[in-house]
Amino acid sequence: MNKKMTKILIVEDEKKIAELLSDYLRQTGYETHILLRGDEVIPWVKKNEVEMILLDLMLPGMHGIEVCRGLRQFSQVPIIMVTAQTEEIDRLLGLELGADDYVSKPFSPREVVARVKAVLRRAAQPPVPENTLNAGILKLDEETHQIWVSGKEVDFTPVEFGLLKVLMSRPERVFTREELLNKVQGYDFIGYDRTIDTHVKNLRRKLAKHGVEECIVSVYGVGYRYHIPTA
Ligand code: CA
């Protein structure tokens, strides 16, 4: 019996782009299916098995944003959103659509293949236990509000704790400043986008003091992402 191939759904109304992507993905060893309209996606996904979706934003029938929202009502299939404008990525992230990654057009098919591989790899990882975020040498307990770095407990302010918790919950996922700001509101935090930078700076300083560097990565023009530190 042949090894089952990972099936990727490509939703793209520009047929040439769709076929180019499909060719590259097939060469890499994936199985593909192309849909040219947004309104065909949800019924198709309900009837067919698919392990990843590449979703264009501007689509006839139904906008990519609505498609993504609709999919998330019943499916956790990894989604990579494809958009023509880089500025849109910031807005998309702010909408909390539940997409797993974003690619801006024009893209190189090679880049898309690399993203697809990365997202599939992440999706295959076991989920993080509910109350403890244990990512390598950094460990965070949501219930007791404690953080350990290399097994040693380190004090953080409530805002720093909140920021770290959000970032660590989705390693490599990019969070915008606005999104981080909204998510840490529960920590009595009122501020502007740029105050996030100050807190991140403090966080980094404290982590660096305990030998953990470069785990909070700046994403130019967007925000921050968490990269699991290695000892
Ligand atoms: Ca389009």
Side-chain angles (χ1 to χ4, degrees), residues 11-14 56-60 105:
V11 188
E12 168 65 68
D13 58 317
E14 284 169 74
D56 182 26
L57 205 58
M58 299 301 287
L59 290 162
K105 281 182 181 175

Side-chain angles (χ1 to χ4, degrees), residues 11-184:
V11 188
E12 168 65 68
D13 58 317
E14 284 169 74
K15 219 174 162 195
K16 272 191 180 157
I17 295 180
E19 278 164 1
L20 179 74
L21 272 174
S22 177
D23 285 348
Y24 262 84
L25 289 166
R26 279 171 184 267
Q27 278 166 29
T28 316
Y30 297 112
E31 200 184 319
T32 58
H33 183 82
I34 297 173
L35 289 179
L36 304 170
R37 296 180 57 88
D39 50 1
E40 288 172 352
V41 180
I42 289 165
W44 192 89
V45 172
K46 282 185 172 165
K47 269 191 252 147
N48 298 272
E49 231 181 276
V50 64
E51 276 137 294
M52 142 97 52
I53 302 175
L54 279 172
L55 183 61
D56 182 26
L57 205 58
M58 299 301 287
L59 290 162
M62 191 189 258
H63 194 275
I65 285 180
E66 293 313 316
V67 175
C68 190
R69 278 216 180 97
L71 285 167
R72 280 293 173 258
Q73 308 278 314
F74 68 96
S75 167
Q76 284 307 309
V77 61
I79 299 171
I80 297 181
M81 302 282 278
V82 183
T83 167
Q85 287 163 309
T86 322
E87 308 92 77
E88 265 184 334
I89 292 177
D90 200 18
R91 192 173 67 89
L92 286 172
L93 285 169
L95 288 172
E96 296 192 45
L97 295 168
D100 295 80
D101 204 353
Y102 303 81
V103 169
S104 57
K105 281 182 181 175
F107 49 73
S108 76
R110 212 174 288 214
E111 182 202 342
V112 176
V113 170
R115 298 287 194 97
V116 164
K117 281 185 178 169
V119 169
L120 284 172
R121 207 164 41 229
R122 253 188 278 156
Q125 274 165 13
V128 176
E130 224 166 87
N131 293 317
T132 310
L133 293 176
N134 196 346
I137 53 175
L138 253 184
K139 190 177 153 195
L140 180 149
D141 191 317
E142 290 185 39
E143 279 190 347
T144 62
H145 270 229
Q146 285 172 295
I147 295 176
W148 295 269
V149 187
S150 307
K152 215 164 129 193
E153 197 184 338
V154 179
D155 275 335
F156 289 92
T157 67
V159 173
E160 288 162 3
F161 180 90
L163 276 174
L164 207 49
K165 186 181 124 180
V166 173
L167 289 164
M168 281 172 78
S169 70
R170 299 283 301 276
E172 306 300 343
R173 190 305 209 163
V174 181
F175 290 91
T176 65
R177 288 185 175 80
E178 196 190 358
E179 205 179 351
L180 289 170
L181 204 62
N182 289 333
K183 283 183 189 284
V184 293

